[in-house]
């Protein structure tokens, strides 16, 4: 199809042309005297060697000359020291510029020779005594001087040794020359002067730099002291790198060159074991910041201080998380890695209610988001609620235990913990009715049952009094979690009783503030006593919701033991949180003692029973990390403060305290900083160390069952491709370790002290318990989930074995034919029923007859459910039967394994491309070329991808066309961006219409092939041609994948059957990858609409950033985060193309990864700004992305903005789920809006507002005419009420503009009736028959602000306001979206869909 490109020119240096410019290769060959052409690199070598030798000689001569000059200077310096210059020579220096030339001439040309002659003359005259003689002599001074000058001519004679005067003249001459303008000496002098000035400036600059360097190092050394160091005074260098790496992101304006410096100098250190001390820290950070200007360095210091604060908080919270981890292990009685989420929430609600108002401010309200999920909040309260108490009826229904469960929990409760130092905990039993409710309000509970409950409460109070008296008689020294003595039982007890007696009235007042008549209490907690040792006190039963018998007995109700965490004898302290006060205690009664003995016997039987039931727990894999395996750092903060398994704490959990209303003492608070950090984050890898058994497949499972021995290699290969189970799946009924730890950390918040956390831990430990029935249900659930995971792996391996050529599909009729022989054909009727059910679930199967891996698995599951007997055994039998029905050779296995690896690379490229399609094209062509080379006799193939597109320019040539968007490199000049129309030659549209591959073995004989490369001669147009249709999830064609062998000149270039099957697998893999990219684009578009909606309603939010999860490169780095889109408080949106964020490089932003790990909301402080991380979950509940919401320095948003944020997050999650559903093959798209039905598609641009409209419709349908009573009661309504009502009416009746129907309030309010509610519910703002006049509506609500609507406090007005805004947004975006013509035909009918049959 295309010609070969010309050979590329050899890159490199310009080589010398030897032997002349016109020297040919033949001449060069003849000169070499051999049969090979000389290599050009040889001629470059001699030149390089020549230059090297010449350079060495030049350098040696230069060094010799420099040495001589230096020696001469040394000699001159010695002479000057021995005989200094004569000062008389300085007389020639004066300021006369006129005689400067003359003096220079005399001093340079004449005097150096004349003055020595004069000296000789004088010396000769003195020797001959000429001056003293009275008579004339023969001596002639002129002749002597002339002879001397002739003999000492400087041009011919040897210069004499200069005397001091001459040497002085020489110096003076040089100075005079430097004053003579235009001379070389003057220029040289000027250059020397400039050099001296620059040298001084450079010295001053170096001195300044040295001072600045010293000051910066001192500042860094001071800043190091703000970090939390380990016992050796060091901090991990990975944390320092994380702080430096994030500096460019947090600083307001960073220069581009500084960003490059930041990126170049940092090396990744993915371990916390490499640490630095103060000197190493100073040198390391200074090397990184040495070129920073002063203002940027100050910003860096501030950033490091913020990072140090965040690191200190991370260390403190890591200690808490370790404590919560131990708490989870203690409460996980069934040892399945799961806890009951409704019970944990009920306990948090109880603990929160028992806390005083001052203490509640530090906790996150467990009845509000983010403790509860947005989906658990009623839509009516989300859209129309104005109070802070987000009461969720759905959640309350889950937390209320049935009467049967209460009766079960009233009996003996199994305890799996053994040993004298281990105590059993109690569990929340249920929720009782509100105090003083009528029978109707309590759900029809008879009055007799309430009286029975009161009598039970009286018995409980007696038991509590016995427990208190027993505590009084106990003289045990109690220690807190740090090992410090808290109190001795007997003495502290009497002290507390005296204190309570003195402040009884004050306690009563505080009770009424904390529990106002118990009217708001909606549940009760009961605790069954489980004494395990002689000093253990029978546990009390809290009943917060019962009616008091009489007012005078009010002080005797709600007995609560008040002790420090881990205490055994401390009761009723004044500081402790109390539900009431008790003024007297009594000795334990014989009945209580007998009951305790009976409970001990029951507990012993429970222990024996738990041992007998041990094999049940072995159904699943043992917990990977026990309490004993958690590393303990002796002397560390974790080891001393989070050792919950120690006996001093656990032996007292049965009677641990209720929370106290006192302020924590300074001594207790100081314990958080006295003990140094251990040097490691012990809960850093919670998600990998603690995962529920349902997410694991035992390693030895594949080896135990010998029936599937030949499937083991395939299963191992599939498991290597699976993502590791570090991301938790959200389940409304259970919590695993990361989710539980994160939930507890979110509840305690940022400002709660360590003693309060200890109280919470002991409270949860004491109150949480499980019955044997609940444990068995958990074990069965986990066993079932584990079995499903095993079956999934087994069925995938079976599918891969049947799909030997990696085509991605199996023929339904072929599978059906083999299964019809199962049990010698006795199950044909069962097979027919299963097949019918399968076709009803996958409607396209009856048309295409192809089974995808998921459809194949569903088929076998449906067949197993129809067969008699155990369903798991039936599936195993089916797998064994199908496994033996097909044979696979070793060569076939290796070929299939290689092909599956190449197909996996295509999907991997899509998931790591960040939304770019180019890596997918490259992966597709690479897979095709690798297979052609390995399994296709080394064919030379050309490949290209064409997508369907609407024909806008020439519709007479057909409604749609094929545009070639990608091809192999050699064919790019001829194929890329070409368009193929229906009226052109070719078989591609036949493949599109039939939805089946078209194979042309010999194109030269076909006659209907379109050749793009017209330069290829007709006689060379030989080869095979293959066209494969590209299907979406619902088997609708959206493009083609074409291959040909025209570039291969071999005779046999026909595509074989196994090659065609693999190419079908490539087309299927490309379709999935293309769907993934389209999904990302739709998510970005939906997110952009959501951020735009939030921006106008929440100005307090500084920024919102959306991240998506991408798979990591290895098991250790199992996933990464990619920043996709963000918006700031100015409304500026940005779509990012930055590289992924690695967890090991962002230790100080680990909250993002904790959000993904736990699939839960995180509220934390980072860089002294508060962030809320909210996960975006897929259809299974696993986090695929998150919103990072920066709310600035305010810990909470204003109520209206907080409510609108919740709305945006809930609607975004609903829209995200809708986008994911479009890619499911078993889910047919459902359309609601009229344009969706007409275009047979749903556009992501309207998806956010579409989901919002659905939510509002659900709220409006619960309205009635009485809901508008408050609005109608206004004689003259507020302006915003009238404006919103007018906008609603004008939306239905635009012709009412300016009429009395809407302008007169007395007539306008008559329209607020049931008919209006029905019209609102059925109104379709995007229908063609509806003409939404946006300008008219905007005139009505333009002056109505969101804050004013909130302050008005009317739920109907709130609904109507949001409904009008949503209708306006939908009407505008729908018309603009569906009127646009998209370039490409997107899959799944998301953008534009054209289905051909």
């Amino acid at each position: 199809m295309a010609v070969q490109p010309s050979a590329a020119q050899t890159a490199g240096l310009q080589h010398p042309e030897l032997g002349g410019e016109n020297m040919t290769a033949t001449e060069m060959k003849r000169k070499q005297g051999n049969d090979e052409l000389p290599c050009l690199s040889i001629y470059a070598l001699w030149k390089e060697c020549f230059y090297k030798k010449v350079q060495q000689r030049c350098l040696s001569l230069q060094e010799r000359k420099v040495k001589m000059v230096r020696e001469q200077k040394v000699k001159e310096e010695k002479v000057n020291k021995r005989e200094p210059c004569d000062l008389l020579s300085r007389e020639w220096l004066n300021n006369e510029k006129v005689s400067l030339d003359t003096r220079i001439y005399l001093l340079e040309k004449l005097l150096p020779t004349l003055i020595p002659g004069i000296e000789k003359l004088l010396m000769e005259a003195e020797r001959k005594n000429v001056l003293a003689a009275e008579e004339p002599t023969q001596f002639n001074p002129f002749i002597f001087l002339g002879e001397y000058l002739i003999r000492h001519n400087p041009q011919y004679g040897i210069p004499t040794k200069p005397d001091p005067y001459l040497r002085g003249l020489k110096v003076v001459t040089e100075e005079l020359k430097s004053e003579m303008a235009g001379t070389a000496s003057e220029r040289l002098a000027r250059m020397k002067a400039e050099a001296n000035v620059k040298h001084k400036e450079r010295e001053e600059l170096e001195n300044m730099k040295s001072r600045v360097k010293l000051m910066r190092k001192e500042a860094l050394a001071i800043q190091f002291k703000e970090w939390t160091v380990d016992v050796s005074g060091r901090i991990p260098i990975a944390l320092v790198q994380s702080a430096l790496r994030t500096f460019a992101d947090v600083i307001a304006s960073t220069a581009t060159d500084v960003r490059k410096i930041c990126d170049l100098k940092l090396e990744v250190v993915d371990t916390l074991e490499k640490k630095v001390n103060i000197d190493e820290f100073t040198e390391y950070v200074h090397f990184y910041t040495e070129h920073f200007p002063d203002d940027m360095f100050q910003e860096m210091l501030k950033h490091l201080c913020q990072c140090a604060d965040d690191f200190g908080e991370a260390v403190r919270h890591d200690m808490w998380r370790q404590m919560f981890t131990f708490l989870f292990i203690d409460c996980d009685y069934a040892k399945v890695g799961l806890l009951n989420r409704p019970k944990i929430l009920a306990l948090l609600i109880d603990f929160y209610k028992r806390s005083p108002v001052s203490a509640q401010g530090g906790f996150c309200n467990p009845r509000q988001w983010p403790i509860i999920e947005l989906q658990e909040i009623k839509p009516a309260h989300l859209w129309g609620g104005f109070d802070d108490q987000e009461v969720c009826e759905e959640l309350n229904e889950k937390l209320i235990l049935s009467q049967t469960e209460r009766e079960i929990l009233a009996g003996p409760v199994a305890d799996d913990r053994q040993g004298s130092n281990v105590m059993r905990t109690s569990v929340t039993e249920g929720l009782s009715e509100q105090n003083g409710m009528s029978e109707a309000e309590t759900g029809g509970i008879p009055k007799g049952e309430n009286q029975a409950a009161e009598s039970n409460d009286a018995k409980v109070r007696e038991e509590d009094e016995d427990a208190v008296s027993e505590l009084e008689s106990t003289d045990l020294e109690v220690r807190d979690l740090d090992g410090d003595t808290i109190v001795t039982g007997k003495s502290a007890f009497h002290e507390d009783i005296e204190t309570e007696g003195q402040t009884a009235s004050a306690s009563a007042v505080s009770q009424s503030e904390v529990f106002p008549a118990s009217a708001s209490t909606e549940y009760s907690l009961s605790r069954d006593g489980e004494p395990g040792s002689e000093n253990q006190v029978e546990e009390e039963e809290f009943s917060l919701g019962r009616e008091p018998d009489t007012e005078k007995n009010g002080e005797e109700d709600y007995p609560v033991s008040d002790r420090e965490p881990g205490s055994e004898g401390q009761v009723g302290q004044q500081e402790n949180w109390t539900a009431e006060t008790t003024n007297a205690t009594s000795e334990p009664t014989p009945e209580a003692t007998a009951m305790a003995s009976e409970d001990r016997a029951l507990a012993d039987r429970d222990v024996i029973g738990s041992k007998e039931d041990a094999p049940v727990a072995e159904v699943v894999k043992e917990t990977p990390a026990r309490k004993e395996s958690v590393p303990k750092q002796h002397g560390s903060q974790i080891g001393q403060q989070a050792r919950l398994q120690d006996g001093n704490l656990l032996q007292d959990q049965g009677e641990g305290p209720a929370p106290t209303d006192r302020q924590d003492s300074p001594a207790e608070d100081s314990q958080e900083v006295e003990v140094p950090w251990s040097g490691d984050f012990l809960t850093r890898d919670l998600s990998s160390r603690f995962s529920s058994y349902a997410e694991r497949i035992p390693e030895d499972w594949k080896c135990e069952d010998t029936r599937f021995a030949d499937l083991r290699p395939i299963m191992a290969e599939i498991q290597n491709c699976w993502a590791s189970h570090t991301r938790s799946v959200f389940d409304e009924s259970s919590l695993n370790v990361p989710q539980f730890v994160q939930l507890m950390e979110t509840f305690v918040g940022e400002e709660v002290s360590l003693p309060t956390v200890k109280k919470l831990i002991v409270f949860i430990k004491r109150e949480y318990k499980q019955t044997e029935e609940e444990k068995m249900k958990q074990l069965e659930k986990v066993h079932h989930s584990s079995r499903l995971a095993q079956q999934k792996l087994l069925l995938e391996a079976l599918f891969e074995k049947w799909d030997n050529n990696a085509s991605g599909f199996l023929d339904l009729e072929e599978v059906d034919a083999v299964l019809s022989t199962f049990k010698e054909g006795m199950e044909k009727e069962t097979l027919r029923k299963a097949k019918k059910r399968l076709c009803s679930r996958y409607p396209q199967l009856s048309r295409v007859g192809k089974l995808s891996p998921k459809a194949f698995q569903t088929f076998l599951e449906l067949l197993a459910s129809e067969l008699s007997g155990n369903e798991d055994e039936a599936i195993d039998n089916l797998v064994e039967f199908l496994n033996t029905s097909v044979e696979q050779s070793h060569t076939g296995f290796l070929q299939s394994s290689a092909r599956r690896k190449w197909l996996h690379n295509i999907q991997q490229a899509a998931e790591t491309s960040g939304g770019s399609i180019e890596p997918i094209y490259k992966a597709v062509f690479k897979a095709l070329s690798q297979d052609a080379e390995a399994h296709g006799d080394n064919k030379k193939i050309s490949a290209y991808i064409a997508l369907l597109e609407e024909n806008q320019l020439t519709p007479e040539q057909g409604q749609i066309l094929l545009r070639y968007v990608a091809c192999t490199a050699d064919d790019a000049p001829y194929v890329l961006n070409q368009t193929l129309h229906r009226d052109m030659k070719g078989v591609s549209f036949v493949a599109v219409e039939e939805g089946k591959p078209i194979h042309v073995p010999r194109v030269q004989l076909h006659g209907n092939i379109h050749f793009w490369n017209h330069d290829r001669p007709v006689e060379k147009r030989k080869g095979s041609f293959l066209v494969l249709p590209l299907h979406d999830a619902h088997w609708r064609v959206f493009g083609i994948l074409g291959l040909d062998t025209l570039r291969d000149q071999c005779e046999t270039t026909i595509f074989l059957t196994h090659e065609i099957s693999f190419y079908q697998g490539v087309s299927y893999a490309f379709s999935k990858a293309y769907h993934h990219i389209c999904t990302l684009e739709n998510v970005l578009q939906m997110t952009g609409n959501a951020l735009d909606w939030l921006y106008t309603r929440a100005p307090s939010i500084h920024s919102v950033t959306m991240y998506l999860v991408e798979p990591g490169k290895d098991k250790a780095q199992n996933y990464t985060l990619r920043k996709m889109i963000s918006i700031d408080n100015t409304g500026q949106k940005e779509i990012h193309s930055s590289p992924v964020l690695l967890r090991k490089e962002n230790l100080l932003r680990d909250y993002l990864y904790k959000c993904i790990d736990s699939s839960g909301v995180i509220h934390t402080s980072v860089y002294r700004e508060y962030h809320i991380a909210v996960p975006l979950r897929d259809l299974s509940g696993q986090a695929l992305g998150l919103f990072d919401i920066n709310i600035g320095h305010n810990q909470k948003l204003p109520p209206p903005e907080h409510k609108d944020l919740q709305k945006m997050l809930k609607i975004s999650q609903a829209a995200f789920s809708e986008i994911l559903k479009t890619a499911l093959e078993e889910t047919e798209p459902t359309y609601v809006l009229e344009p969706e039905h007409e275009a047979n598609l749903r556009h992501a641009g309207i998806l956010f507002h579409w989901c919002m409209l659905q939510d509002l419709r659900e709220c409006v349908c619960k309205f009635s005419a009485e809901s508008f009573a408050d609005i109608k009661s206004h004689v003259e309504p507020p302006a915003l009420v009238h404006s919103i009502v007018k906008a609603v009416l004008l939306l239905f009746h635009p012709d009412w503009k300016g009429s009395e129907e809407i302008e007169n309030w007395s007539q306008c309010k008559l329209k607020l009736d049931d008919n209006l509610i029905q019209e609102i519910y059925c109104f379709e703002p995007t229908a063609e028959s509806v003409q939404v006049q946006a300008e008219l509506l905007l005139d009505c609500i333009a002056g109505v602000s969101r804050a004013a609507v909130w302050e008005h406090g009317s739920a109907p007005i709130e609904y109507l306001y949001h409904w009008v805004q949503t209708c306006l947004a939908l009407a505008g975006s729908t018309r603009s979206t569906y009127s646009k013509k998209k370039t490409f035909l997107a899959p799944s009918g998301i953008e534009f869909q054209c289905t051909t049959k």
Side-chain angles (χ1 to χ4, degrees), residues 936-1169:
D937 296 332
N938 201 17
K939 290 187 181 73
K940 294 181 180 180
I941 63 172
S942 298
Y944 27 84
I945 297 174
L947 299 180
L948 288 176
E949 178 182 329
E950 185 181 11
N951 188 3
Q952 299 177 352
L953 299 178
T954 57
E956 64 276 3
Q957 291 184 286
Q959 182 185 0
I960 58 176
L961 55 85
L962 281 170
R963 182 179 297 276
Y964 289 84
V965 295
C967 65
T968 48
D970 296 334
D971 304 309
Y974 308 100
V975 178
L976 194 61
N977 293 325
Q978 295 289 345
T979 57
L980 183 68
H981 297 82
R982 280 185 177 272
D983 59 352
M984 299 171 63
K985 294 175 62 176
V987 296
S988 297
F989 276 102
V990 179
V992 170
E993 294 172 355
E994 296 181 357
K996 297 180 181 180
I998 301 295
H999 182 209
V1000 182
R1002 293 178 177 83
V1003 296
Q1004 67 273 18
L1005 303 178
H1006 192 275
N1008 192 27
I1009 302 298
H1010 183 84
F1011 295 92
W1012 295 109
N1013 184 7
H1014 303 288
D1015 297 334
R1016 177 179 282 117
V1018 178
E1019 59 273 10
K1020 291 186 178 181
R1021 295 178 182 180
K1022 298 179 181 180
S1024 295
F1025 181 44
L1026 178 65
V1027 182
L1028 300 165
L1030 299 175
H1031 298 93
D1032 66 1
H1034 304 286
W1035 286 90
R1036 296 174 295 190
V1037 179
F1038 67 93
I1040 63 161
L1041 170 64
L1043 300 98
D1044 68 74
T1045 59
L1046 269 68
R1047 292 195 299 115
D1048 196 335
Q1049 300 302 320
C1050 297
E1051 293 297 331
T1052 57
T1053 58
I1054 299 175
F1055 293 112
L1056 302 180
T1057 304
H1058 70 90
E1059 293 179 289
I1060 297 176
S1061 297
F1062 173 69
Y1063 297 153
Q1064 286 181 298
V1066 173
S1067 66
Y1068 175 64
F1070 171 77
S1071 177
K1072 289 176 59 179
Y1074 186 71
H1075 275 77
H1076 183 80
I1077 298 300
C1078 291
T1079 299
L1080 293 183
E1081 293 177 354
N1082 292 329
V1083 169
L1084 284 179
Q1085 191 170 3
M1086 181 274 297
T1087 304
N1089 293 336
L1091 297 181
D1092 289 336
W1093 184 89
L1094 181 65
Y1095 161 71
T1096 59
R1097 291 164 172 80
S1100 299
I1101 295 178
H1102 285 201
S1103 65
V1104 180
T1105 305
M1106 197 270 283
Y1107 297 86
L1108 288 180
V1109 175
E1110 290 186 0
K1113 297 181 180 179
D1114 48 31
K1115 292 292 183 182
Q1117 184 182 316
N1118 50 78
Y1119 72 87
T1120 59
L1121 293 178
R1122 183 182 293 274
K1123 184 188 294 186
M1124 301 300 295
I1125 186 172
S1126 63
I1127 189 172
D1128 56 16
N1129 53 2
T1130 64
Q1132 184 69 30
K1133 284 190 301 184
E1134 180 180 1
I1135 297 178
H1136 301 272
S1137 58
S1138 57
V1140 295
L1141 300 180
L1142 303 179
R1143 190 167 197 164
K1144 59 185 179 182
E1145 297 179 1
N1146 295 271
L1147 298 179
L1148 296 176
R1149 290 191 288 186
D1150 198 52
Y1151 71 98
L1152 299 174
Y1153 302 90
K1154 290 178 181 177
C1155 175
I1156 299 297
D1157 289 343
S1158 62
S1159 189
V1161 182
I1162 292 182
H1163 189 286
T1164 187
S1165 175
V1166 182
Y1167 309 131
R1168 297 179 183 174
E1169 291 183 335

Side-chain angles (χ1 to χ4, degrees), residues 229 269 276 535 722 1070 1099 1179:
V229 298
V269 178
V276 292
N535 294 327
W722 280 1
F1070 171 77
L1179 301 178

Side-chain angles (χ1 to χ4, degrees), residues 690-705:
F690 296 92
S691 60
S692 62
Y693 297 124
E695 300 172 352
R696 298 186 171 216
I697 297 177
E699 296 295 336
D700 56 348
W701 166 72
K702 298 187 294 292
C703 301
E704 289 178 355
D705 201 334

Side-chain angles (χ1 to χ4, degrees), residues 99-394:
S99 62
L100 184 61
D101 294 342
T102 305
R103 280 180 290 159
I104 292 175
Y105 175 78
L106 292 175
L107 293 176
E108 184 179 13
K109 302 294 183 180
L110 180 61
L111 293 181
T113 305
L114 182 60
I115 289 176
I118 297 298
E119 289 181 353
K120 291 292 184 179
L121 175 64
L122 293 176
M123 292 173 63
E124 184 67 20
E126 185 180 358
R127 185 176 65 82
K128 293 183 177 184
N129 199 15
V130 174
L131 299 177
E134 295 180 357
E135 56 184 23
T137 62
Q138 295 293 327
F139 179 74
N140 189 345
F142 297 103
I143 295 175
F144 180 85
L145 182 61
E147 291 176 352
Y148 179 85
L149 293 177
I150 293 174
R151 287 194 302 266
H152 294 85
N153 189 344
Q155 294 183 1
Y156 305 103
I158 301 174
T160 60
K161 181 180 179 180
D163 59 4
Y165 185 77
L166 291 178
R167 285 190 278 109
L169 288 180
K170 185 177 181 180
V171 174
V172 171
T173 302
E174 294 297 329
E175 292 182 5
L176 291 176
K177 284 183 177 181
S178 63
E179 295 179 2
M180 187 67 181
T183 61
S185 299
E186 188 270 339
R187 291 193 298 270
L188 180 62
R190 187 172 66 250
M191 292 173 60
K192 287 183 177 180
E194 294 176 355
N196 290 333
V197 172
K198 291 182 179 180
H199 180 67
K200 291 181 180 179
E201 292 177 353
R202 186 165 56 251
E203 285 184 348
E204 293 178 359
L205 181 61
E206 291 296 331
N207 293 333
M208 184 180 299
K209 286 184 177 181
S210 299
R211 292 193 298 270
V212 171
K213 180 179 180 180
L214 182 61
M215 293 173 58
R216 289 189 174 186
K217 287 188 175 182
E218 292 177 353
L220 291 173
I222 296 174
Q223 198 280 325
F224 179 82
K225 299 178 181 178
E226 299 184 12
W227 291 81
T228 303
V229 298
D230 61 3
V231 290
S232 63
R234 296 170 175 264
I235 61 174
I237 192 174
L239 291 170
V240 182
Q241 287 186 342
S242 181
L244 296 177
R245 188 175 288 106
T246 56
F247 174 68
D249 297 332
V250 300
I251 193 171
S253 58
T254 303
T256 305
D257 54 348
V258 176
R259 288 182 179 270
K260 292 181 179 178
I261 293 175
C262 297
D263 295 337
L264 290 177
K265 291 186 178 180
L266 282 181
E267 297 180 359
V268 178
V269 178
D270 56 353
T271 177
L272 295 179
E273 296 179 357
K274 188 176 181 181
K275 300 178 181 179
V276 292
N277 56 21
I278 183 171
D279 296 330
E280 295 169 339
F281 170 84
T282 301
E283 291 294 335
Y284 187 84
V285 178
H286 181 266
F287 176 76
Y288 177 80
T289 59
E290 59 182 347
H291 300 295
F292 281 13
D294 291 339
D295 55 347
M296 186 169 291
F297 182 76
Q298 293 298 325
E299 293 292 334
M300 172 61 77
L301 285 179
K302 293 179 182 179
H303 177 65
L304 290 176
C305 292
Q306 295 173 359
C307 294
D309 294 342
D310 293 341
F311 175 56
E313 286 297 314
V315 171
R316 186 166 68 105
H317 280 264
D318 182 68
M319 176 192 62
W320 294 359
R321 292 172 67 86
Q322 183 76 353
M323 297 166 68
F324 294 146
T325 303
F326 289 146
L327 173 62
F328 182 96
I329 296 174
D330 287 333
C331 295
D332 184 16
Y333 303 137
K335 304 308 175 190
V336 295
L338 296 174
L339 292 184
N340 188 293
R341 179 173 175 267
K343 288 185 179 181
I344 295 297
L345 292 179
L347 290 175
L348 294 180
I349 292 174
D350 182 37
F351 186 86
Y352 182 82
K353 284 192 172 183
R354 291 169 184 258
S355 307
V357 177
S358 59
Q360 289 179 358
F363 297 122
C364 181
N365 193 334
R367 286 183 175 272
Q368 295 181 10
W369 180 80
I371 297 297
I372 64 173
E373 293 293 319
L374 292 173
Q375 289 74 18
E376 295 172 334
I377 301 176
K378 296 179 61 177
H381 188 83
L382 183 65
W383 290 95
F386 296 92
D387 54 347
D388 294 334
Q389 298 296 327
E390 297 175 359
V391 181
C392 174
E393 293 186 4
E394 291 86 347

Side-chain angles (χ1 to χ4, degrees), residues 614-784:
V616 179
E618 295 176 1
V619 174
V620 293
K621 187 177 179 181
E622 185 63 18
T623 304
R626 311 295 304 155
K627 288 187 296 180
E628 294 80 11
S629 66
V630 178
K632 302 176 186 177
Q633 302 293 337
H634 296 285
S636 66
Q637 194 173 18
I638 300 295
Q640 295 191 12
Q641 296 179 341
R643 202 170 294 144
L644 297 184
Q645 70 272 31
D646 290 348
N648 289 339
L649 173 66
L650 298 183
Q651 67 181 1
D652 307 311
Q653 80 179 55
E655 59 274 7
T660 72
D661 58 357
R662 63 178 177 86
Q663 298 294 329
D664 298 313
S665 63
E668 290 176 333
D669 291 336
S670 64
Q671 294 173 2
E672 300 185 37
V673 294
E674 285 179 355
V675 182
W677 177 47
S678 64
D680 193 12
F681 289 104
L682 300 182
T683 61
R684 186 184 176 195
D685 56 348
L686 272 184
S687 57
S688 59
R689 287 194 295 127
F690 296 92
S691 60
S692 62
Y693 297 124
E695 300 172 352
R696 298 186 171 216
I697 297 177
E699 296 295 336
D700 56 348
W701 166 72
K702 298 187 294 292
C703 301
E704 289 178 355
D705 201 334
T706 58
R707 294 185 295 176
F708 314 123
D710 54 340
L711 294 179
R712 292 174 191 168
I714 303 178
M715 287 190 284
E717 181 182 338
I718 294 173
Q719 280 186 299
N720 290 332
C721 296
W722 280 1
S724 58
H725 298 287
T726 57
R727 289 183 286 161
S728 302
V729 176
F730 173 75
D731 186 359
E732 61 181 7
S733 63
S734 61
L735 298 168
N736 60 15
V737 175
Q739 292 171 336
F740 172 79
V741 171
Q742 191 55 57
L743 177 67
M744 299 295 290
E745 188 177 9
T746 303
F747 174 71
V748 298
E750 298 280 340
E751 301 176 356
V752 176
S753 62
L754 177 61
T756 305
V757 175
K758 296 176 183 177
K759 295 180 179 71
L760 172 63
I761 289 174
V762 175
F763 177 79
I764 298 294
K765 200 170 190 179
R766 181 185 64 210
E767 298 296 331
Y768 187 88
K769 65 181 179 181
Q770 281 182 313
T771 62
E772 285 294 339
E773 181 182 357
E774 290 175 331
K775 287 196 288 186
M776 290 304 299
K777 287 182 179 179
Q778 271 194 340
L779 285 171
E780 292 174 359
K781 176 182 177 181
V782 170
H783 171 67
H784 179 67

